[in-house]
Amino acid sequence: MALMQGTERATLAQAALFFADEKAEAAGAYNLAIRVEVRGPVTAADLAAACRLLVATTPALRVRTGIDGWTGEIVYCFSDETPEVDVLAEPVADTEAFIAARTMLPFEVDGGPLVRFLSLPAGPEHTTVVLIVHHLVYDWISHHLLAERLSTLISGAAAPQPPDEDEYVRLVRRIRAAEEAALTEDRDYWYDRIQPSAMLTPFPREGSADTVLRRIITADPAAAQGIGRSAASAGVSVFKLVSAAVHHALPVPDGGVTVLGAAASQRPAAHAPVVGCFVNEVPMPAHREGGETAVDLVRREHPRWSDDLRRRHYPFADLAAHVRRGGGAVEALNQVMISHRRQQQSVEHTRAGVTCTAELDVPNYAAKTPLSVRFFEDGGALGCEVQWSGHLSQQSGEHYTHRLAESLAQCAGRTVRIEETP
């Protein structure tokens, strides 16, 4: 990468993702997919042209990453190479399995392209277009932005905007500077907050990492309102209350400590329209006390969680190394991930007889952590995806899902339901 022209330093969070991909047990674990259903008179050539135009006008999709030969840092540059667009002429027997397999094909993060496309005929005037991207170049806010942009380019609902590489570079530099400042200003806080000797790993390794299982817990609008009222009575956000429920359901003895890794955006509001990966993992520890409810737990812990989230720029990789050096179980920091999405769950654009629909609630095909809990708002309801890797047995994952549903129901004052998923 030292020989590449115009390289810039990546954020420290991006650097952590780069090395996480290199060490991932499952190939393609950090690959993400956006799926757009296209209905109407659009040719395969037009679809391929829209995919290439999306990359040409989106700097993040032209990013290449690698290790600088002089400094050893993770750096990036922009490439003008034409993206791969695989256009199939005939439908496949099992579309879901085919898309999953193609999504999981690994990217070469050390210098290779981090985006590719797949176009599958699904029926008369119906094509499925899949954008497959490495997590290094986009986060959940960008997921929505890319779905919007690809849909509008295919349908012709909006003219493409010229790329603004300078804005992307400025944002990366701004976040990198905040991370470097946090390494000095917040290290004592985090080293005191995360005591390696106190970390308890909530789940044993029970198998391989290849299998991914998931369940959906749904709080209907009335139950979601109940959760909102409980959060308001405790003086906290819904995110903090559901985080407490996730803690509350973990199988840890009284007096122990559990830790969630919260996916937190680092981007300032003014930079919300910029596609890229600007997210960091923030540990949210909780002491466990016998007989308490999730509301009891959040009342006690939320002031510290507010402090934790305000220090979201501190590099998670440094804390993981701190735990490792102290003799603790490094996985105690990243065994359980949590996120809360407030965005719409679908995108649709229609123009000149062409309709593009993108469903945004797409499951990951590989688990990045043994347990992942993703909350999302949908039409007044509150959904919760529980996903676990083959590190856990199906029995352990199912047992945790039921415990979490009970905790959420207690917060809601109403029953929530667990849905079977493929």
Side-chain angles (χ1 to χ4, degrees):
M1 289 294 289
L3 300 178
M4 296 180 69
Q5 297 297 314
T7 56
E8 288 271 346
R9 297 188 305 170
T11 69
L12 295 176
Q14 287 174 315
L17 274 173
F18 179 97
F19 289 116
D21 179 276
E22 296 285 288
K23 296 185 293 184
E25 296 183 28
Y30 290 89
N31 295 1
L32 305 168
I34 294 173
R35 179 169 164 171
V36 180
E37 302 297 335
V38 184
R39 293 175 173 84
V42 183
T43 67
D46 288 339
L47 291 174
C51 294
R52 296 188 180 102
L53 186 56
L54 177 70
V55 173
T57 56
T58 309
L61 298 185
R62 293 186 286 106
V63 160
R64 301 288 178 89
T65 58
I67 303 175
D68 187 275
W70 293 103
T71 67
E73 289 191 293
I74 302 304
V75 295
Y76 72 93
C77 65
F78 299 107
S79 169
D80 292 327
E81 183 178 339
T82 302
E84 174 189 343
V85 183
D86 189 1
V87 179
L88 275 67
E90 299 292 336
V92 297
D94 188 338
T95 302
E96 300 304 323
F98 188 84
I99 291 174
R102 287 298 184 93
T103 299
M104 292 299 292
L105 290 175
F107 288 104
E108 177 50 70
V109 299
D110 193 2
L114 300 174
V115 56
R116 58 177 176 263
F117 296 87
L118 178 63
S119 178
L120 292 167
E125 293 195 342
H126 179 191
T127 304
T128 300
V129 178
V130 186
L131 165 59
I132 303 167
V133 192
H134 195 281
H135 193 19
L136 266 168
V137 296
Y138 96 123
D139 53 26
W140 179 248
I141 293 175
S142 299
H143 184 92
H144 180 268
L145 294 171
L146 286 174
E148 282 274 4
R149 292 184 185 183
L150 181 56
S151 297
T152 57
L153 287 175
I154 292 173
S155 67
Q161 298 297 313
D164 189 348
E165 292 181 1
D166 290 342
E167 185 178 13
Y168 180 90
V169 171
R170 286 194 299 271
L171 180 54
V172 172
R173 288 176 178 173
R174 178 172 178 170
I175 291 173
R176 175 66 186 243
E179 292 171 327
E180 291 177 343
L183 277 171
T184 300
E185 298 167 2
D186 295 332
R187 175 168 285 162
D188 289 346
Y189 172 89
W190 280 114
Y191 280 19
D192 178 69
R193 183 81 165 119
I194 306 296
Q195 296 290 331
S197 61
M199 294 297 101
L200 295 179
T201 302
F203 298 109
R205 285 179 176 253
E206 299 172 328
S208 69
D210 295 334
T211 304
V212 178
L213 298 170
R214 66 191 289 259
R215 294 288 181 268
I216 300 292
I217 302 172
T218 300
D220 63 21
Q225 289 175 9
I227 291 172
R229 286 192 295 270
S230 291
S233 68
V236 302
S237 65
V238 168
F239 168 70
K240 285 183 180 176
L241 180 55
V242 298
S243 296
V246 173
H247 273 290
H248 187 255
L250 290 170
V252 171
D254 296 344
V257 175
T258 50
V259 181
L260 306 183
S265 177
Q266 298 187 84
R267 67 174 78 204
H271 293 274
V274 180
V275 171
C277 183
F278 308 112
V279 65
N280 192 25
E281 192 172 344
V282 180
M284 295 172 60
H287 292 270
R288 306 298 299 280
E289 296 182 2
E292 68 180 356
T293 66
V295 173
D296 295 331
L297 190 154
V298 77
R299 287 183 189 277
R300 185 181 68 250
E301 297 289 352
H302 87 88
R304 296 298 301 271
W305 289 350
S306 295
D307 290 341
D308 296 339
L309 293 167
R310 278 193 290 268
R311 291 170 169 83
R312 66 184 59 204
H313 289 295
Y314 196 88
F316 181 82
D318 185 83
L319 286 175
H322 166 62
V323 172
R324 189 184 302 115
R325 287 191 298 268
V330 65
E331 288 185 338
L333 287 187
N334 61 7
Q335 276 216 332
V336 185
M337 281 281 294
I338 182 172
S339 61
H340 183 203
R341 302 170 176 174
R342 296 184 178 88
Q343 295 172 325
Q344 66 193 72
Q345 294 302 299
S346 64
V347 168
E348 183 170 304
H349 289 281
T350 299
R351 183 176 183 274
V354 176
T355 298
C356 296
T357 306
E359 295 297 331
L360 302 184
D361 181 24
V362 179
N364 294 326
Y365 293 108
K368 302 173 185 62
T369 58
L371 181 66
S372 172
V373 184
R374 302 193 294 178
F375 290 90
F376 53 92
E377 298 177 6
D378 186 12
L382 180 66
C384 172
E385 179 196 57
V386 182
Q387 182 187 65
W388 64 96
S389 73
H391 286 322
L392 308 183
S393 67
Q394 180 163 345
Q395 182 179 8
S396 291
E398 298 280 10
H399 181 65
Y400 177 77
T401 302
H402 282 278
R403 286 176 58 93
L404 178 56
E406 291 171 358
S407 294
L408 291 171
Q410 191 175 47
C411 294
R414 299 176 65 95
T415 301
V416 300
R417 68 180 187 271
I418 299 174
E419 302 175 6
E420 294 296 322
T421 55

PDB file of all heavy atoms in Angstrom, residues 303-322:
ATOM      1  N   PRO A 303     -26.629   5.924  34.429  1.00  0.00           N
ATOM      2  CA  PRO A 303     -25.713   7.070  34.441  1.00  0.00           C
ATOM      3  C   PRO A 303     -24.321   6.712  33.912  1.00  0.00           C
ATOM      4  O   PRO A 303     -23.713   7.498  33.166  1.00  0.00           O
ATOM      5  CB  PRO A 303     -25.667   7.479  35.920  1.00  0.00           C
ATOM      6  CG  PRO A 303     -26.960   6.970  36.491  1.00  0.00           C
ATOM      7  CD  PRO A 303     -27.198   5.680  35.791  1.00  0.00           C
ATOM      8  N   ARG A 304     -23.837   5.514  34.275  1.00  0.00           N
ATOM      9  CA  ARG A 304     -22.522   5.095  33.772  1.00  0.00           C
ATOM     10  C   ARG A 304     -22.588   4.784  32.282  1.00  0.00           C
ATOM     11  O   ARG A 304     -21.632   5.053  31.551  1.00  0.00           O
ATOM     12  CB  ARG A 304     -22.018   3.874  34.549  1.00  0.00           C
ATOM     13  CG  ARG A 304     -21.757   4.114  36.031  1.00  0.00           C
ATOM     14  CD  ARG A 304     -20.667   5.170  36.276  1.00  0.00           C
ATOM     15  NE  ARG A 304     -19.390   4.830  35.682  1.00  0.00           N
ATOM     16  CZ  ARG A 304     -18.439   4.111  36.300  1.00  0.00           C
ATOM     17  NH1 ARG A 304     -18.651   3.640  37.527  1.00  0.00           N
ATOM     18  NH2 ARG A 304     -17.290   3.873  35.718  1.00  0.00           N
ATOM     19  N   TRP A 305     -23.706   4.208  31.837  1.00  0.00           N
ATOM     20  CA  TRP A 305     -23.822   3.941  30.406  1.00  0.00           C
ATOM     21  C   TRP A 305     -23.816   5.233  29.601  1.00  0.00           C
ATOM     22  O   TRP A 305     -23.261   5.280  28.500  1.00  0.00           O
ATOM     23  CB  TRP A 305     -25.102   3.158  30.120  1.00  0.00           C
ATOM     24  CG  TRP A 305     -25.060   1.736  30.594  1.00  0.00           C
ATOM     25  CD1 TRP A 305     -23.968   1.060  31.062  1.00  0.00           C
ATOM     26  CD2 TRP A 305     -26.149   0.813  30.644  1.00  0.00           C
ATOM     27  NE1 TRP A 305     -24.310  -0.226  31.399  1.00  0.00           N
ATOM     28  CE2 TRP A 305     -25.641  -0.402  31.150  1.00  0.00           C
ATOM     29  CE3 TRP A 305     -27.499   0.905  30.313  1.00  0.00           C
ATOM     30  CZ2 TRP A 305     -26.438  -1.525  31.333  1.00  0.00           C
ATOM     31  CZ3 TRP A 305     -28.299  -0.210  30.483  1.00  0.00           C
ATOM     32  CH2 TRP A 305     -27.785  -1.412  30.986  1.00  0.00           C
ATOM     33  N   SER A 306     -24.398   6.289  30.152  1.00  0.00           N
ATOM     34  CA  SER A 306     -24.346   7.588  29.469  1.00  0.00           C
ATOM     35  C   SER A 306     -22.907   8.050  29.321  1.00  0.00           C
ATOM     36  O   SER A 306     -22.488   8.543  28.263  1.00  0.00           O
ATOM     37  CB  SER A 306     -25.158   8.626  30.234  1.00  0.00           C
ATOM     38  OG  SER A 306     -26.534   8.295  30.242  1.00  0.00           O
ATOM     39  N   ASP A 307     -22.120   7.887  30.385  1.00  0.00           N
ATOM     40  CA  ASP A 307     -20.696   8.229  30.313  1.00  0.00           C
ATOM     41  C   ASP A 307     -19.974   7.358  29.294  1.00  0.00           C
ATOM     42  O   ASP A 307     -19.121   7.835  28.539  1.00  0.00           O
ATOM     43  CB  ASP A 307     -20.038   8.061  31.688  1.00  0.00           C
ATOM     44  CG  ASP A 307     -20.484   9.112  32.688  1.00  0.00           C
ATOM     45  OD1 ASP A 307     -20.993  10.164  32.256  1.00  0.00           O
ATOM     46  OD2 ASP A 307     -20.330   8.876  33.906  1.00  0.00           O
ATOM     47  N   ASP A 308     -20.306   6.052  29.277  1.00  0.00           N
ATOM     48  CA  ASP A 308     -19.675   5.147  28.321  1.00  0.00           C
ATOM     49  C   ASP A 308     -19.926   5.601  26.886  1.00  0.00           C
ATOM     50  O   ASP A 308     -19.003   5.683  26.068  1.00  0.00           O
ATOM     51  CB  ASP A 308     -20.226   3.723  28.490  1.00  0.00           C
ATOM     52  CG  ASP A 308     -19.900   3.114  29.848  1.00  0.00           C
ATOM     53  OD1 ASP A 308     -18.953   3.585  30.504  1.00  0.00           O
ATOM     54  OD2 ASP A 308     -20.604   2.166  30.240  1.00  0.00           O
ATOM     55  N   LEU A 309     -21.185   5.893  26.580  1.00  0.00           N
ATOM     56  CA  LEU A 309     -21.546   6.246  25.214  1.00  0.00           C
ATOM     57  C   LEU A 309     -20.987   7.601  24.795  1.00  0.00           C
ATOM     58  O   LEU A 309     -20.717   7.833  23.617  1.00  0.00           O
ATOM     59  CB  LEU A 309     -23.066   6.219  25.058  1.00  0.00           C
ATOM     60  CG  LEU A 309     -23.688   4.814  25.174  1.00  0.00           C
ATOM     61  CD1 LEU A 309     -25.200   4.907  25.318  1.00  0.00           C
ATOM     62  CD2 LEU A 309     -23.305   3.954  23.987  1.00  0.00           C
ATOM     63  N   ARG A 310     -20.796   8.503  25.753  1.00  0.00           N
ATOM     64  CA  ARG A 310     -20.165   9.783  25.424  1.00  0.00           C
ATOM     65  C   ARG A 310     -18.704   9.594  25.042  1.00  0.00           C
ATOM     66  O   ARG A 310     -18.125  10.441  24.359  1.00  0.00           O
ATOM     67  CB  ARG A 310     -20.281  10.755  26.605  1.00  0.00           C
ATOM     68  CG  ARG A 310     -21.617  11.477  26.683  1.00  0.00           C
ATOM     69  CD  ARG A 310     -21.563  12.636  27.644  1.00  0.00           C
ATOM     70  NE  ARG A 310     -21.456  12.206  29.023  1.00  0.00           N
ATOM     71  CZ  ARG A 310     -22.499  11.995  29.829  1.00  0.00           C
ATOM     72  NH1 ARG A 310     -23.731  12.162  29.365  1.00  0.00           N
ATOM     73  NH2 ARG A 310     -22.330  11.602  31.071  1.00  0.00           N
ATOM     74  N   ARG A 311     -18.113   8.491  25.480  1.00  0.00           N
ATOM     75  CA  ARG A 311     -16.711   8.194  25.166  1.00  0.00           C
ATOM     76  C   ARG A 311     -16.626   7.144  24.051  1.00  0.00           C
ATOM     77  O   ARG A 311     -15.783   6.260  24.067  1.00  0.00           O
ATOM     78  CB  ARG A 311     -15.993   7.704  26.427  1.00  0.00           C
ATOM     79  CG  ARG A 311     -15.822   8.816  27.469  1.00  0.00           C
ATOM     80  CD  ARG A 311     -15.328   8.265  28.784  1.00  0.00           C
ATOM     81  NE  ARG A 311     -14.921   9.309  29.712  1.00  0.00           N
ATOM     82  CZ  ARG A 311     -15.746   9.989  30.495  1.00  0.00           C
ATOM     83  NH1 ARG A 311     -17.040   9.723  30.471  1.00  0.00           N
ATOM     84  NH2 ARG A 311     -15.299  10.927  31.299  1.00  0.00           N
ATOM     85  N   ARG A 312     -17.511   7.282  23.078  1.00  0.00           N
ATOM     86  CA  ARG A 312     -17.648   6.272  22.021  1.00  0.00           C
ATOM     87  C   ARG A 312     -16.470   6.230  21.058  1.00  0.00           C
ATOM     88  O   ARG A 312     -16.359   5.305  20.247  1.00  0.00           O
ATOM     89  CB  ARG A 312     -18.927   6.513  21.238  1.00  0.00           C
ATOM     90  CG  ARG A 312     -18.946   7.803  20.437  1.00  0.00           C
ATOM     91  CD  ARG A 312     -20.291   8.010  19.766  1.00  0.00           C
ATOM     92  NE  ARG A 312     -21.373   8.068  20.740  1.00  0.00           N
ATOM     93  CZ  ARG A 312     -22.638   7.795  20.459  1.00  0.00           C
ATOM     94  NH1 ARG A 312     -22.976   7.420  19.247  1.00  0.00           N
ATOM     95  NH2 ARG A 312     -23.559   7.890  21.383  1.00  0.00           N
ATOM     96  N   HIS A 313     -15.599   7.234  21.092  1.00  0.00           N
ATOM     97  CA  HIS A 313     -14.475   7.248  20.162  1.00  0.00           C
ATOM     98  C   HIS A 313     -13.303   6.387  20.634  1.00  0.00           C
ATOM     99  O   HIS A 313     -12.368   6.173  19.867  1.00  0.00           O
ATOM    100  CB  HIS A 313     -13.980   8.681  19.936  1.00  0.00           C
ATOM    101  CG  HIS A 313     -14.928   9.523  19.135  1.00  0.00           C
ATOM    102  ND1 HIS A 313     -15.239   9.259  17.816  1.00  0.00           N
ATOM    103  CD2 HIS A 313     -15.650  10.622  19.478  1.00  0.00           C
ATOM    104  CE1 HIS A 313     -16.094  10.157  17.381  1.00  0.00           C
ATOM    105  NE2 HIS A 313     -16.365  10.997  18.361  1.00  0.00           N
ATOM    106  N   TYR A 314     -13.353   5.901  21.872  1.00  0.00           N
ATOM    107  CA  TYR A 314     -12.201   5.128  22.348  1.00  0.00           C
ATOM    108  C   TYR A 314     -12.108   3.813  21.574  1.00  0.00           C
ATOM    109  O   TYR A 314     -13.093   3.070  21.491  1.00  0.00           O
ATOM    110  CB  TYR A 314     -12.306   4.835  23.851  1.00  0.00           C
ATOM    111  CG  TYR A 314     -10.975   4.406  24.410  1.00  0.00           C
ATOM    112  CD1 TYR A 314     -10.068   5.347  24.868  1.00  0.00           C
ATOM    113  CD2 TYR A 314     -10.600   3.069  24.423  1.00  0.00           C
ATOM    114  CE1 TYR A 314      -8.831   4.977  25.348  1.00  0.00           C
ATOM    115  CE2 TYR A 314      -9.365   2.684  24.897  1.00  0.00           C
ATOM    116  CZ  TYR A 314      -8.475   3.639  25.362  1.00  0.00           C
ATOM    117  OH  TYR A 314      -7.252   3.264  25.821  1.00  0.00           O
ATOM    118  N   PRO A 315     -10.942   3.479  21.013  1.00  0.00           N
ATOM    119  CA  PRO A 315     -10.830   2.286  20.169  1.00  0.00           C
ATOM    120  C   PRO A 315     -11.115   0.997  20.944  1.00  0.00           C
ATOM    121  O   PRO A 315     -10.455   0.689  21.939  1.00  0.00           O
ATOM    122  CB  PRO A 315      -9.372   2.327  19.692  1.00  0.00           C
ATOM    123  CG  PRO A 315      -8.993   3.765  19.777  1.00  0.00           C
ATOM    124  CD  PRO A 315      -9.712   4.287  20.992  1.00  0.00           C
ATOM    125  N   PHE A 316     -12.084   0.251  20.473  1.00  0.00           N
ATOM    126  CA  PHE A 316     -12.473  -0.986  21.135  1.00  0.00           C
ATOM    127  C   PHE A 316     -11.317  -1.990  21.161  1.00  0.00           C
ATOM    128  O   PHE A 316     -11.157  -2.739  22.128  1.00  0.00           O
ATOM    129  CB  PHE A 316     -13.674  -1.605  20.422  1.00  0.00           C
ATOM    130  CG  PHE A 316     -14.168  -2.875  21.050  1.00  0.00           C
ATOM    131  CD1 PHE A 316     -15.015  -2.841  22.140  1.00  0.00           C
ATOM    132  CD2 PHE A 316     -13.775  -4.104  20.548  1.00  0.00           C
ATOM    133  CE1 PHE A 316     -15.467  -4.009  22.731  1.00  0.00           C
ATOM    134  CE2 PHE A 316     -14.221  -5.281  21.127  1.00  0.00           C
ATOM    135  CZ  PHE A 316     -15.069  -5.233  22.223  1.00  0.00           C
ATOM    136  N   ALA A 317     -10.508  -2.007  20.105  1.00  0.00           N
ATOM    137  CA  ALA A 317      -9.399  -2.959  20.039  1.00  0.00           C
ATOM    138  C   ALA A 317      -8.423  -2.762  21.191  1.00  0.00           C
ATOM    139  O   ALA A 317      -7.845  -3.724  21.700  1.00  0.00           O
ATOM    140  CB  ALA A 317      -8.674  -2.836  18.699  1.00  0.00           C
ATOM    141  N   ASP A 318      -8.232  -1.501  21.624  1.00  0.00           N
ATOM    142  CA  ASP A 318      -7.326  -1.251  22.742  1.00  0.00           C
ATOM    143  C   ASP A 318      -7.878  -1.854  24.030  1.00  0.00           C
ATOM    144  O   ASP A 318      -7.137  -2.406  24.838  1.00  0.00           O
ATOM    145  CB  ASP A 318      -7.100   0.250  22.918  1.00  0.00           C
ATOM    146  CG  ASP A 318      -6.072   0.554  24.001  1.00  0.00           C
ATOM    147  OD1 ASP A 318      -4.871   0.500  23.689  1.00  0.00           O
ATOM    148  OD2 ASP A 318      -6.483   0.808  25.154  1.00  0.00           O
ATOM    149  N   LEU A 319      -9.203  -1.763  24.219  1.00  0.00           N
ATOM    150  CA  LEU A 319      -9.804  -2.354  25.419  1.00  0.00           C
ATOM    151  C   LEU A 319      -9.718  -3.871  25.392  1.00  0.00           C
ATOM    152  O   LEU A 319      -9.479  -4.507  26.420  1.00  0.00           O
ATOM    153  CB  LEU A 319     -11.259  -1.921  25.543  1.00  0.00           C
ATOM    154  CG  LEU A 319     -11.482  -0.483  25.981  1.00  0.00           C
ATOM    155  CD1 LEU A 319     -12.956  -0.140  25.936  1.00  0.00           C
ATOM    156  CD2 LEU A 319     -10.943  -0.264  27.391  1.00  0.00           C
ATOM    157  N   ALA A 320      -9.904  -4.464  24.217  1.00  0.00           N
ATOM    158  CA  ALA A 320      -9.773  -5.917  24.107  1.00  0.00           C
ATOM    159  C   ALA A 320      -8.354  -6.352  24.470  1.00  0.00           C
ATOM    160  O   ALA A 320      -8.155  -7.344  25.181  1.00  0.00           O
ATOM    161  CB  ALA A 320     -10.128  -6.371  22.693  1.00  0.00           C
ATOM    162  N   ALA A 321      -7.366  -5.593  24.009  1.00  0.00           N
ATOM    163  CA  ALA A 321      -5.975  -5.908  24.355  1.00  0.00           C
ATOM    164  C   ALA A 321      -5.726  -5.707  25.847  1.00  0.00           C
ATOM    165  O   ALA A 321      -4.992  -6.473  26.480  1.00  0.00           O
ATOM    166  CB  ALA A 321      -5.031  -5.031  23.530  1.00  0.00           C
ATOM    167  N   HIS A 322      -6.334  -4.685  26.428  1.00  0.00           N
ATOM    168  CA  HIS A 322      -6.213  -4.424  27.868  1.00  0.00           C
ATOM    169  C   HIS A 322      -6.743  -5.606  28.674  1.00  0.00           C
ATOM    170  O   HIS A 322      -6.117  -6.050  29.654  1.00  0.00           O
ATOM    171  CB  HIS A 322      -6.991  -3.151  28.198  1.00  0.00           C
ATOM    172  CG  HIS A 322      -7.252  -2.932  29.658  1.00  0.00           C
ATOM    173  ND1 HIS A 322      -6.242  -2.767  30.582  1.00  0.00           N
ATOM    174  CD2 HIS A 322      -8.420  -2.843  30.349  1.00  0.00           C
ATOM    175  CE1 HIS A 322      -6.775  -2.578  31.784  1.00  0.00           C
ATOM    176  NE2 HIS A 322      -8.094  -2.629  31.662  1.00  0.00           N
TER     177      HIS A 322
END
